[in-house]
Amino acid sequence: TDALFTEEAAKAVQSVMTQNSANHYYVSLGNYTCGVKSGTAQVKEDGKEYENSLLAGFCLDDRCPVAFCIVIEARVSTDITSAQLTKVLLDALSGAA
Protein backbone atom coordinates (compact mmCIF):
# COMPACT_ATOMS: atom_id res chain seq x y z
CA THR A 1 0.00 0.00 0.00
CA ASP A 2 1.01 3.60 -0.33
CA ALA A 3 2.58 5.31 2.68
CA LEU A 4 0.17 7.45 4.68
CA PHE A 5 2.87 10.05 5.29
CA THR A 6 6.52 10.56 4.47
CA GLU A 7 9.48 9.22 6.42
CA GLU A 8 10.40 12.84 7.15
CA ALA A 9 6.96 13.48 8.70
CA ALA A 10 7.21 10.28 10.77
CA LYS A 11 10.63 11.32 12.09
CA ALA A 12 9.27 14.77 12.98
CA VAL A 13 6.35 13.26 14.93
CA GLN A 14 8.74 10.84 16.68
CA SER A 15 10.96 13.76 17.65
CA VAL A 16 8.07 15.79 19.09
CA MET A 17 6.72 12.82 21.03
CA THR A 18 10.11 11.77 22.46
CA GLN A 19 10.82 15.36 23.46
CA ASN A 20 7.42 15.52 25.19
CA SER A 21 8.31 12.37 27.11
CA ALA A 22 11.74 13.70 28.07
CA ASN A 23 10.29 17.05 29.20
CA HIS A 24 7.23 15.82 31.10
CA TYR A 25 7.42 12.09 31.86
CA TYR A 26 11.09 11.34 32.62
CA VAL A 27 10.35 10.78 36.33
CA SER A 28 7.27 8.60 35.76
CA LEU A 29 8.70 6.50 32.93
CA GLY A 30 12.18 6.04 34.35
CA ASN A 31 15.02 5.08 32.01
CA TYR A 32 12.82 4.13 29.05
CA THR A 33 13.19 6.11 25.83
CA CYS A 34 9.57 6.73 24.90
CA GLY A 35 7.48 9.00 22.78
CA VAL A 36 4.13 9.92 24.34
CA LYS A 37 1.02 12.00 23.92
CA SER A 38 -1.41 12.40 26.78
CA GLY A 39 -4.95 13.58 27.04
CA THR A 40 -7.74 13.98 29.55
CA ALA A 41 -11.48 14.43 29.31
CA GLN A 42 -13.18 16.15 32.22
CA VAL A 43 -16.49 14.43 32.99
CA LYS A 44 -19.33 15.61 35.20
CA GLU A 45 -22.04 13.00 35.59
CA ASP A 46 -24.72 12.53 38.22
CA GLY A 47 -23.14 15.21 40.42
CA LYS A 48 -19.71 13.53 40.35
CA GLU A 49 -16.62 14.96 38.70
CA TYR A 50 -13.77 12.87 37.35
CA GLU A 51 -11.56 12.54 34.33
CA ASN A 52 -10.79 9.97 31.71
CA SER A 53 -7.03 9.82 31.25
CA LEU A 54 -5.13 8.68 28.15
CA LEU A 55 -1.45 8.07 27.43
CA ALA A 56 -0.53 6.77 23.98
CA GLY A 57 2.95 6.21 22.70
CA PHE A 58 5.83 3.90 21.97
CA CYS A 59 9.05 2.68 23.55
CA LEU A 60 12.21 2.85 21.44
CA ASP A 61 14.35 0.70 23.75
CA ASP A 62 15.65 -2.56 22.26
CA ARG A 63 14.66 -4.36 25.47
CA CYS A 64 11.02 -3.33 25.12
CA PRO A 65 10.06 -2.19 21.57
CA VAL A 66 6.30 -1.76 21.98
CA ALA A 67 3.53 0.71 21.29
CA PHE A 68 0.97 1.34 24.00
CA CYS A 69 -2.27 3.10 24.76
CA ILE A 70 -3.35 3.35 28.40
CA VAL A 71 -6.86 4.57 29.22
CA ILE A 72 -8.07 5.10 32.77
CA GLU A 73 -11.77 5.84 32.99
CA ALA A 74 -13.34 7.68 35.92
CA ARG A 75 -9.93 8.61 37.36
CA VAL A 76 -9.77 10.81 40.43
CA SER A 77 -6.70 12.87 41.27
CA THR A 78 -5.49 10.46 43.96
CA ASP A 79 -5.46 7.43 41.64
CA ILE A 80 -2.45 6.09 39.79
CA THR A 81 -1.56 8.05 36.67
CA SER A 82 -1.48 6.61 33.17
CA ALA A 83 2.29 7.28 33.07
CA GLN A 84 2.86 5.34 36.30
CA LEU A 85 0.82 2.45 34.93
CA THR A 86 2.82 2.57 31.69
CA LYS A 87 6.08 2.25 33.67
CA VAL A 88 4.77 -0.82 35.51
CA LEU A 89 3.78 -2.43 32.20
CA LEU A 90 7.09 -1.58 30.51
CA ASP A 91 8.98 -3.04 33.48
CA ALA A 92 6.95 -6.25 33.23
CA LEU A 93 7.43 -6.52 29.46
CA SER A 94 11.16 -5.81 29.59
CA GLY A 95 11.82 -8.15 32.50
CA ALA A 96 12.85 -5.32 34.82
CA ALA A 97 10.01 -6.02 37.27
Side-chain angles (χ1 to χ4, degrees):
T1 63
D2 292 332
L4 296 176
F5 46 89
T6 65
E7 182 177 344
E8 181 179 282
K11 286 181 180 180
V13 170
Q14 178 179 336
S15 177
V16 168
M17 290 179 72
T18 53
Q19 191 63 46
N20 182 48
S21 179
N23 289 344
H24 303 288
Y25 295 94
Y26 62 94
V27 172
S28 299
L29 295 178
N31 292 325
Y32 294 101
T33 302
C34 293
V36 298
K37 175 62 179 114
S38 63
T40 57
Q42 307 302 317
V43 179
K44 187 173 184 177
E45 186 175 71
D46 297 327
K48 297 179 182 178
E49 293 185 27
Y50 58 90
E51 69 182 26
N52 292 334
S53 176
L54 167 76
L55 188 69
F58 50 86
C59 184
L60 294 173
D61 294 3
D62 288 339
R63 62 190 166 132
C64 193
V66 298
F68 52 84
C69 182
I70 307 296
V71 177
I72 303 174
E73 294 183 328
R75 180 182 175 273
V76 294
S77 62
T78 57
D79 288 344
I80 190 170
T81 68
S82 52
Q84 291 168 325
L85 185 54
T86 299
K87 168 86 166 57
V88 170
L89 295 172
L90 291 175
D91 284 348
L93 291 170
S94 69

